[in-house]
Amino acid sequence: MFLSLSLIILLGLSMGALFDRLKLPRIIGMLITGIILGPYVLNLLDSSILNISSDLRKIALVIILLKAGLSLDISDLKRSGSSAILLAFLPASFEILAYIIFAPMLFSINRIDAAVLGAVLAAVSPAVVVPKMVDLIERKYGTKKAIPQMIMAGASCDDIFTIVLFTTFLNFALGGELNIKSLFKIPVSIILGIAIGILLGYGLYLAFENLYKRKKHVRNSIKVIIMLGFSLLLVALEDILADIIPMSGLLAVISMACTIRLKSDELVSKRLSEKFSKIWLSAEIILFVLVGAAVDIRYMLSFGIEAILIIIICLIFRSIGVLISIAKRNFTAKERIFCIVAYLPKATVQAAIGSIPLFSGLESGNLILSVAVLSILITAPLGAIGIDKLYPKYLQKETDE
């Protein structure tokens, strides 16, 4: 395990730095490192690491969501209005619809298998999008119109919507019943996650303030550890309550951090955010290298041109959904193009659930996994490069008065 961790950190960091020098996103180097080190190329990673890969990726995601919550200004988010809500489900719905229409034509599969394929592919990657939007917020690009805040909020809810649809469609494809009631889990999961996060965040704020009034100063480093511990508890609570009531642990995490930021002194929030930034330096490497390690490039050989074609077609449908979601906003044409590009990346969800249909015995499982893998390799770099290249020219920088 220690050799695997050293390879992940050192090679991932080196490849990230190399791509940074080439004026390309560091994430591409880390993804390629994971693919090369993973079980489908050189197989240099210990099985014990791969067995807990999904848990490690989730921990890294929790860290960036905490940083995101501490960087998110609620007043700015309010300015995005209904657009953030629409971005949570409309682009994904358009993309799933496109897969249902076109996948049977290109791959000769039935409509319900096409719906499963669409649900796997429709999720945007918060692991790619959220760090980029946090960086833009800190640089104050697009913040005057709350563009990065809006995208970050929508991307955080988008995954919940698609994963619930995926579970519903897969159950039906495997011979079960299409349970419409399960669709109601989406709003329940979102509302409960936000509510629990707000309550916990307010409780932690009161606890920190009470200790401060008693002149028992709690170092910011200790606050970071406490917040991280409760965040992991929230993620675990999601699994514990899964059979009872749906709750989004990740939304609870970002809501908790937002509440602490809202109630705390601005300087304290900034220092906490900076400390999570330092933790993110190592968590980022582990997250993206392990996402790359989950990619099996062998399956792409038999589904080449058709897979690329359907990904492009469905991304066009997704872009239409983004444009409708932000139609009422007073954005310029360039800002709308930026929103489309920022909503392209796929990675985490596809790596996590892309293989489930295959292992569940679904006839089109190989196809679904192949297209999922290809979508990661195409859209993650495309979206990351697009965001980096477009934001200086397409977004207005908010200057300090």
Side-chain angles (χ1 to χ4, degrees):
M1 179 183 286
F2 293 112
L3 176 60
S4 296
L5 283 173
S6 67
L7 289 173
I8 289 171
I9 294 171
L10 296 177
L11 293 181
L13 184 63
S14 300
M15 286 288 283
L18 174 62
F19 274 73
D20 195 37
R21 290 289 297 272
L22 296 173
K23 305 298 182 182
L24 294 172
R26 290 157 44 88
I27 174 183
I28 304 176
M30 296 174 190
L31 284 170
I32 292 174
T33 301
I35 293 172
I36 294 172
L37 294 178
Y40 307 110
V41 182
L42 296 182
N43 194 24
L44 295 178
L45 298 182
D46 191 275
S47 59
S48 58
I49 288 286
L50 296 175
N51 290 337
I52 61 171
S53 173
S54 61
D55 294 323
L56 291 175
R57 294 200 302 264
K58 186 164 283 190
I59 291 172
L61 190 57
V62 163
I63 291 169
I64 191 57
L65 287 177
L66 282 169
K67 176 173 168 51
L70 291 168
S71 304
L72 190 61
D73 192 326
I74 303 299
S75 61
D76 287 340
L77 186 59
K78 288 179 180 178
R79 295 208 304 267
S80 65
S82 61
S83 295
I85 298 173
L86 291 175
L87 283 173
F89 71 91
L90 204 56
S93 299
F94 271 67
E95 190 169 0
I96 292 172
L97 177 62
Y99 278 103
I100 293 173
I101 294 171
F102 295 104
M105 300 178 188
L106 291 172
F107 302 112
S108 300
I109 60 175
N110 59 49
R111 298 290 181 189
I112 189 61
D113 282 19
V116 175
L117 173 63
V120 172
L121 271 293
V124 71
S125 175
V128 177
V129 175
V130 171
K132 296 289 184 184
M133 295 306 108
V134 170
D135 184 54
L136 293 184
I137 291 171
E138 292 175 348
R139 294 170 182 264
K140 295 188 176 181
Y141 275 95
T143 51
K144 188 173 183 179
K145 295 184 180 179
I147 293 173
Q149 297 94 320
M150 174 191 71
I151 293 172
M152 186 164 65
S156 300
C157 300
D158 174 275
D159 288 358
I160 304 164
F161 176 72
T162 53
I163 289 173
V164 171
L165 287 182
F166 167 74
T167 305
T168 304
F169 292 148
L170 181 62
N171 178 61
F172 186 57
L174 293 173
E177 295 181 356
L178 187 59
N179 187 2
I180 302 300
K181 290 182 180 179
S182 63
L183 298 179
F184 289 100
K185 291 181 180 179
I186 298 172
V188 173
S189 176
I190 292 173
I191 294 170
L192 190 59
I194 292 174
I196 291 176
I198 291 173
L199 289 174
L200 181 56
Y202 188 65
L204 287 176
Y205 160 75
L206 290 178
F208 294 150
E209 283 295 302
N210 187 43
L211 289 172
Y212 179 76
K213 289 177 180 178
R214 290 183 175 184
K215 297 183 179 181
K216 294 181 180 180
H217 179 64
V218 180
R219 294 177 57 188
N220 288 328
S221 299
I222 300 297
K223 291 180 181 178
V224 165
I225 295 172
I226 293 172
M227 290 174 65
L228 184 57
F230 274 106
S231 297
L232 297 177
L233 179 62
L234 288 171
V235 174
L237 194 62
E238 178 180 355
D239 295 329
I240 293 170
L241 297 177
D243 295 331
I244 304 172
I245 188 168
M247 183 209 67
S248 171
L250 296 180
L251 265 182
V253 169
I254 196 170
S255 299
M256 179 189 74
C258 283
T259 304
I260 292 174
R261 185 199 188 286
L262 183 65
K263 302 299 295 183
S264 300
D265 181 81
E266 185 175 349
L267 181 61
V268 173
S269 300
K270 184 177 180 181
R271 287 178 177 173
L272 290 174
S273 179
E274 288 172 351
K275 289 187 179 295
F276 276 112
S277 296
K278 294 176 182 178
I279 300 175
W280 173 246
L281 290 175
S282 57
E284 176 187 35
I285 300 170
I286 294 173
L287 172 61
F288 291 117
V289 171
L290 289 178
V291 167
V295 173
D296 187 347
I297 61 174
R298 298 173 302 174
Y299 289 111
M300 292 188 298
L301 299 177
S302 57
F303 301 105
I305 302 301
E306 294 88 350
I308 295 174
L309 180 60
I310 196 167
I311 289 172
I312 294 172
I313 292 172
C314 295
L315 286 178
I316 293 172
F317 271 70
R318 180 179 189 83
S319 300
I320 294 172
V322 173
L323 289 175
I324 294 174
S325 300
I326 60 176
K328 294 184 178 181
R329 302 298 303 278
N330 61 331
F331 292 166
T332 64
K334 289 184 176 181
E335 288 168 340
R336 295 180 193 278
I337 292 172
F338 177 83
C339 292
I340 290 173
V341 173
Y343 239 61
L344 292 180
K346 323 277 186 179
T348 318
V349 173
Q350 289 71 27
I353 68 176
S355 60
I356 292 177
L358 176 63
F359 295 140
S360 300
L362 193 65
E363 187 177 350
S364 58
N366 267 329
L367 167 67
I368 292 172
L369 180 57
S370 301
V371 182
V373 168
L374 197 58
S375 74
I376 295 173
L377 296 179
I378 292 175
T379 63
L382 181 64
I385 292 172
I387 292 170
D388 287 343
K389 297 294 183 184
L390 294 183
Y391 83 82
K393 300 177 182 178
Y394 283 31
L395 297 183
Q396 181 182 358
K397 184 170 184 178
E398 187 176 5
T399 56
D400 294 325
E401 295 181 355

